[in-house]
Amino acid sequence: TILIHPEDAEKISRNFSSEMTTGRQVASAFRIIDRKGSIFWVEERSNILFDGTGKVRGMQGVIRDITDRKKAEDAIRLANRKLNLLNDITRHDIVNTLTGLLGTVEMARDPAMASDRDLLLADVRTLGLNIQKQIEFTREYQAVGIKEPVWQNVSEIIQRAANLSEGSGVTIFNDITPFEVFADPLLEKVFYNLIQNALSYGK
């Protein structure tokens, strides 16, 4: 048990006790720590040893290193969470922009707004382009979970996010001193969402 990670020790002890008591095989996955402090995930499968009278005398088993498999499983779970987040945000953004576009189209059709029709149609075009940009943004994340975090210039990211908000009538000043952060490629979407929330609810 000195090899077993402290957080897994109690569970593995219960599994061994159950196996010895019932004679039924219990497969266990747990972490072990080597002498250097490195942590590995392993899978243990054992067999109960009986004597001639059927009494349990002990067990023998095999421990297999599954560290790479666990890393892959964790990466898949993380990728799924990122995809779900991206889909939710993008769907919300597109629906909001589309609502504005349809409202502007209705205004352009109103005979009373004939003098402003050119301006309204320009707004329709801007909103349509924003929807196109929002959809194109998702293309970068088809391989989400495969892309590693990268160094990103925060000022450039904010500017790209601000460009997606053109036509809002609000001026965005981006005077941040250039610096980089090591982050997931979804970082640009974070700033875009912050800007959209400010435009929608900031009055």
Side-chain angles (χ1 to χ4, degrees):
T1 55
I2 62 172
L3 295 174
I4 300 175
H5 193 287
E7 294 179 7
D8 297 335
E10 184 178 347
K11 176 186 71 173
I12 300 308
S13 179
R14 287 198 307 268
N15 288 354
F16 278 131
S17 296
S18 173
E19 197 165 358
M20 292 293 288
T21 302
T22 64
R24 292 195 298 268
Q25 185 183 59
V26 179
S28 302
F30 55 95
R31 290 162 291 180
I32 61 173
I33 306 175
D34 69 10
R35 71 176 74 184
K36 297 179 181 179
S38 300
I39 297 175
F40 300 89
W41 274 95
V42 298
E43 183 178 71
E44 178 269 336
R45 292 182 179 274
S46 55
N47 295 301
I48 301 298
L49 301 177
F50 301 94
D51 62 13
T53 65
K55 185 178 179 180
V56 175
R57 304 298 297 177
M59 67 171 64
Q60 64 181 5
V62 174
I63 291 179
R64 182 163 58 96
D65 187 340
I66 60 169
T67 304
D68 289 341
R69 190 185 82 190
K70 288 292 294 185
K71 287 181 179 179
E73 292 171 351
D74 291 343
I76 290 172
R77 279 192 292 269
L78 179 60
N80 285 334
R81 285 200 298 270
K82 289 180 179 179
L83 283 172
N84 288 334
L85 173 64
L86 177 66
N87 288 337
D88 288 344
I89 293 174
T90 303
R91 182 167 56 248
H92 178 268
D93 292 344
I94 290 176
V95 167
N96 282 350
T97 308
L98 189 57
T99 300
L101 186 149
L102 294 175
T104 307
V105 168
E106 288 303 311
M107 292 174 62
R109 294 177 60 191
D110 186 346
M113 303 293 291
S115 60
D116 296 324
R117 189 160 294 152
D118 287 345
L119 291 175
L120 292 170
L121 289 176
D123 288 342
V124 167
R125 183 177 185 279
T126 298
L127 291 168
L129 290 174
N130 283 346
I131 292 175
Q132 182 182 32
K133 291 175 184 176
Q134 290 162 352
I135 294 173
E136 289 174 348
F137 186 83
T138 64
R139 185 181 303 145
E140 299 178 27
Y141 299 100
Q142 292 179 15
V144 71
I146 296 175
K147 289 189 175 183
E148 297 291 333
V150 292
W151 286 102
Q152 302 174 68
N153 185 301
V154 174
S155 180
E156 292 177 0
I157 289 174
I158 292 176
Q159 191 58 52
R160 288 201 299 269
N163 291 341
L164 289 173
S165 304
E166 289 178 352
S168 65
V170 174
T171 302
I172 299 173
F173 294 96
N174 178 13
D175 55 1
I176 293 177
T177 301
F179 71 97
E180 294 186 341
V181 294
F182 189 68
D184 187 282
L186 277 172
L187 181 63
E188 181 178 334
K189 196 67 172 175
V190 173
F191 285 107
Y192 171 77
N193 209 44
L194 289 171
I195 292 172
Q196 290 303 306
N197 284 341
L199 294 174
S200 299
Y201 310 115
K203 307 299 183 183

